[in-house]
Amino acid sequence: MASNLILMAGPCAVESEEQISRIADSIKSVGVDYLRGGAFKPRTSAGDWTGHGEKALKWMRAVGDKLELKIVTEIMDAGDIKMFQDYGVDLYQVGARNAQNQSLLFALGDAKVPVLLKNGMNSSLTEWLGSAGKAGDENSVMLCVRGKNNETDIARNGQDITALVHLVDNTPYKIIFDPSHITGKRELVYGVTMGAVATGVDGIIVEVHHDPIAAKTDGRQSITPKQLECLVKAANIQRQVYLDNIGLREGFSSSEIPMHVDIYFRESDLTNISDLITELTPKKYSSEKTGILTARIPTGALGVFRQRGYAIGEVVKYAPKEGKSSAEAIHITMPAGEKIKLTPFSLEALQFRGRETDVNFHGARVELAHGFAGQVIRDAYLTVDMNKVPSLSGAPLILYNVVKG
Ligand code: PEP
Ligand code: MN
């Protein structure tokens, strides 16, 4: 992870040579890396102004070279890639409206150019990542979060913070946050930017205009150079706080709780909960060898079975004494909360093997054969059937095994 925030700023649209160079000066002075500006503008209505096109690329390149700023601008047509390459565009923005344009995405991937891919107006994460894979890989593609087109009475687009955290934590791409198109209002840009930086985004892209009131496009959300100065200062401080506390974040992430558990149950115990199982997972299978059904469910869902009067038993590796070979055991929590243990060997079996027999187990000691996991589970059920554990008789039983990894 880069330690510095990647900073991109500039007008929504390149309006004139004078405008872009004036804004470029102000963003350079606060340490921005990329000058943004639309040369080819996608617009909502036919007849709207669509930008200065190639002329604007030329102005951007010139000012970029002069001030040592990289340039990022939107490409809408695969046929323009050559022109963008001629002007040395450093980052090819794919906008919300073209986020699923197959031919454009594949052409950018083939050209091996750096891409800033916005999320589609209403695309799912799967669709967005699918598009990213077409345009390149995590070394060449950055994702730009610009909000979903669900205009509320507050924001132009809006961004779900849960989705943002998920994206930052679970995708290999660099995440660039666009507070301008998310909010649509300059007064909201500061606050949402701070929140996003706290989640660990890699960078921000912000619309800036020296005269937002008269901007040709997106003036309502454009901030002034003075506001940008405050924003960049605050964002960098917030970034440092994030980095200083990375240890806490990692500590939190290294939770030992697995994502899934496999649960085992007898067909006869299933009758009252079969709908519940189907709700938790469509996947379950039954083993002819053991007569036991198995399903994989998300961690944290087991408690509902206890509420329904089930005893819950965890299959654990059990080592009677340090240094002695381990065996499988079942730890059962009864619906009322008391715990019992089933261990793999009977007293007789332990004695036969010359093992110590004075280990003080709570509850009953019952015989379970050594063998494959399914067999231990089957034997546990047989034991229960045989009522060797009086406190268990009557309570339906679910056994579970944590799924590692
Ligand atoms: C833009 O960046 O100015 C733009 C048109 O954004 P989006 O594609 O997110 O609407
Ligand atoms: Mn814009």
Side-chain angles (χ1 to χ4, degrees), residues 12 36 41-42 74 93 95-97 118 146 181 207 218:
C12 177
R36 68 146 285 152
K41 292 302 298 174
E74 177 163 357
Q93 177 176 324
R97 293 158 192 79
K118 292 202 171 199
R146 54 84 74 202
H181 293 88
E207 287 186 344
D218 286 351

Side-chain angles (χ1 to χ4, degrees), residues 166-339:
H166 178 86
L167 202 61
V168 170
D169 288 354
N170 297 296
T171 64
Y173 301 96
K174 286 206 168 68
I175 305 298
I176 307 296
F177 187 77
D178 178 347
S180 307
H181 293 88
I182 287 170
T183 62
K185 291 179 182 162
R186 84 178 62 79
E187 64 272 25
L188 297 177
V189 164
Y190 184 96
V192 301
T193 301
M194 292 307 112
V197 175
T199 69
V201 299
D202 298 281
I204 54 176
I205 183 165
V206 193
E207 287 186 344
V208 182
H209 201 289
H210 59 278
D211 185 10
I213 296 168
K216 269 189 138 154
T217 56
D218 286 351
R220 178 68 183 89
Q221 69 200 31
S222 297
I223 61 173
T224 64
K226 180 90 194 68
Q227 287 181 303
L228 180 72
E229 192 181 338
C230 299
L231 185 76
V232 167
K233 265 189 200 152
N236 282 333
I237 292 169
Q238 182 81 335
R239 173 66 168 184
Q240 200 51 50
V241 171
Y242 171 80
L243 293 173
D244 289 347
N245 292 303
I246 209 88
L248 293 176
R249 185 187 167 90
E250 281 162 8
F252 184 87
S253 307
S254 64
S255 158
E256 282 163 19
I257 299 175
M259 290 293 283
H260 292 95
V261 294
D262 281 338
I263 58 171
Y264 308 92
F265 44 90
R266 287 174 296 202
E267 196 100 45
S268 56
D269 287 344
L270 178 65
T271 34
N272 297 327
I273 49 162
S274 112
D275 287 354
L276 186 55
I277 303 270
T278 313
E279 220 175 88
L280 293 170
T281 174
K283 286 184 201 141
K284 59 173 186 285
Y285 62 90
S286 81
S287 157
E288 282 196 8
K289 214 176 221 159
T290 62
I292 304 295
L293 283 152
T294 305
R296 183 161 291 186
I297 64 167
T299 308
L302 268 171
V304 295
F305 297 106
R306 200 177 297 161
Q307 286 167 32
R308 304 241 185 143
Y310 280 71
I312 309 287
E314 181 184 5
V315 182
V316 293
K317 281 274 181 234
Y318 180 73
K321 279 228 162 136
E322 221 182 308
K324 297 273 166 71
S325 72
S326 66
E328 276 174 305
I330 313 275
H331 291 180
I332 297 180
T333 307
M334 300 298 290
E338 74 272 31
K339 293 180 174 24

Side-chain angles (χ1 to χ4, degrees), residues 82-110:
K82 172 77 173 57
M83 185 205 305
F84 274 52
Q85 284 173 323
D86 290 346
Y87 288 101
V89 170
D90 297 285
L91 186 58
Y92 293 55
Q93 177 176 324
V94 175
R97 293 158 192 79
N98 275 303
Q100 284 187 285
N101 180 333
Q102 309 288 310
S103 56
L104 177 61
L105 294 166
F106 278 122
L108 291 166
D110 288 345

